[in-house]
Amino acid sequence: MSKNPFNIKTGGSVVKKLIILVAVFALLALVIKHPHDAADMVNGAVDSGGGIIDGVATFLRDWGNR
């Protein structure tokens, strides 16, 4: 009997883990060295995401009224 009865792949490639580690360190360095710029980037992304959600909701409401 196998240790993993659901046949879920639990391991990952070394390259994938290395890329994720480098990305995390880059984000950390950005936040530590330039906290104001990092906060502006997050606020911009949140504002854009909210605008997209509002646009989709408006589209669905208008589409349902026809």
Side-chain angles (χ1 to χ4, degrees):
M1 180 174 242
S2 70
K3 292 183 180 181
N4 191 352
F6 299 109
N7 199 18
I8 298 171
K9 184 178 179 184
T10 57
S13 70
V14 175
V15 175
K16 182 179 177 182
K17 290 179 182 177
L18 185 63
I19 290 171
I20 291 172
L21 187 66
V22 168
V24 167
F25 280 130
L27 287 173
L28 242 138
L30 178 68
V31 170
I32 291 171
K33 287 188 172 194
H34 307 286
H36 183 72
D37 294 337
D40 287 343
M41 283 187 238
V42 170
N43 286 335
V46 168
D47 290 342
S48 295
I52 292 170
I53 292 170
D54 289 340
V56 170
T58 302
F59 168 76
L60 292 174
R61 270 188 257 129
D62 289 346
W63 187 40
N65 290 334
R66 293 185 184 233

